[in-house]
Amino acid sequence: MIAPSSPGVPAAAVVPPHRRPYAAVFRALLCAAAVTGIVIDMALGDPLRAPVYFTIQSNALLALVLGWSAQRAWTGRPALSPRLTGGAFLFIAITGLVYHLILANDSSGFSMTGDALTGPRAVSNQLLHTVTPLGAALDWFLLTAPGGLRFRYAAQWLLYPAAYLAFALIRGALLAPTAEARYPYPFLDVAAHGYASTATTALVLGLAFYALALGLVALDRVRPDLRRRENRISRERAGGLK
């Protein structure tokens, strides 16, 4: 029989940490993809204006969360909070969906396609709008324990997009009308559409984001745990990127 641990003795001293090297490597690579896309975008454009875009912000947040999660998975430490990892996944999902359904869609009325991107710009565009959202989805479905999300998180997550909306509108109002990229996205361009139309569009998008967040939580409650059984290092129904 194994003697019970003495009071005050850390659990890691009794049960060795269970490392997850495959999850760590995948997350490190995805983190590198996000960082590479951000660096290319900033190097080819205005490095001071790039952080204004939701795309850059959401990819930067994802890179931080993935890097942290990769370190914890490599060393066998407990998962990050599902509130944090779920939020990072939601924001990068919004980035990918808005880009492909609205900004890269000529029929949406808010297209930003313009001239076709080539070379490093095309690489950065695909990394930030396609690779990281799809990679985050794979990580969440295949490498993350289910059951950690709560429905109250959905409203909490929307505080960031709401704050971003306020920031974009206030920034645009303070900049000169001739300023380049005064409003970061066409659907936020008050000068072109007016405040009433912009507010309506923002409300529709906000409701769509809330529905997406609720759907993410609902799916988290019913999806199976697809991780290998020997890689389980957390208590039942604990979630998050490990």
Side-chain angles (χ1 to χ4, degrees):
M1 295 181 61
I2 299 176
S5 59
S6 303
V9 177
V14 180
V15 180
H18 197 149
R19 298 172 60 245
R20 301 185 63 210
Y22 296 114
V25 170
F26 181 81
R27 286 163 186 166
L29 291 174
L30 193 55
C31 173
V35 171
T36 300
I38 292 173
V39 170
I40 294 175
D41 189 83
M42 296 182 72
L44 297 179
D46 185 345
L48 297 180
R49 193 174 68 233
V52 169
Y53 291 91
F54 189 88
T55 293
I56 300 298
Q57 295 181 18
S58 60
N59 272 276
L61 174 62
L62 182 70
L64 288 173
V65 171
L66 286 172
W68 192 3
S69 296
Q71 187 273 334
R72 296 175 80 90
W74 186 262
T75 58
R77 298 184 63 193
L80 295 178
S81 166
R83 189 185 323 223
L84 174 61
T85 58
F89 175 38
L90 173 68
F91 302 146
I92 201 65
I94 289 174
T95 293
L97 290 172
V98 169
Y99 174 77
H100 288 285
L101 297 180
I102 300 178
L103 300 178
N105 181 5
D106 292 333
S107 63
S108 69
F110 298 112
S111 174
M112 292 181 68
T113 51
D115 298 331
L117 297 176
T118 59
R121 285 193 177 276
V123 173
S124 173
N125 188 62
Q126 289 302 317
L127 287 174
L128 297 176
H129 295 110
T130 305
V131 174
T132 54
L134 289 179
L138 288 175
D139 181 86
W140 189 73
F141 280 108
L142 301 179
L143 301 174
T144 303
L149 301 183
R150 302 293 179 263
F151 282 107
R152 66 177 181 272
Y153 295 169
Q156 296 170 1
W157 289 332
L158 287 192
L159 293 176
Y160 168 47
Y164 180 82
L165 171 65
F167 158 76
L169 295 181
I170 293 173
R171 174 182 177 273
L174 294 177
L175 290 178
T178 56
E180 186 178 358
R182 181 184 178 191
Y183 294 97
Y185 298 104
F187 49 80
L188 298 180
D189 194 338
V190 174
H193 306 291
Y195 277 102
S197 178
T198 302
T200 300
T201 301
L203 177 61
V204 171
L205 289 176
L207 292 175
F209 297 161
Y210 186 53
L212 178 63
L214 291 176
L216 184 66
V217 176
L219 181 60
D220 182 62
R221 289 172 170 251
V222 299
R223 67 188 177 97
D225 191 346
L226 299 180
R227 302 169 307 156
R228 294 180 60 184
R229 187 172 298 275
E230 61 268 26
N231 278 337
R232 298 190 63 151
I233 63 174
S234 60
R235 64 182 181 277
E236 184 69 13
R237 298 187 68 78
L241 298 176
K242 297 192 192 294

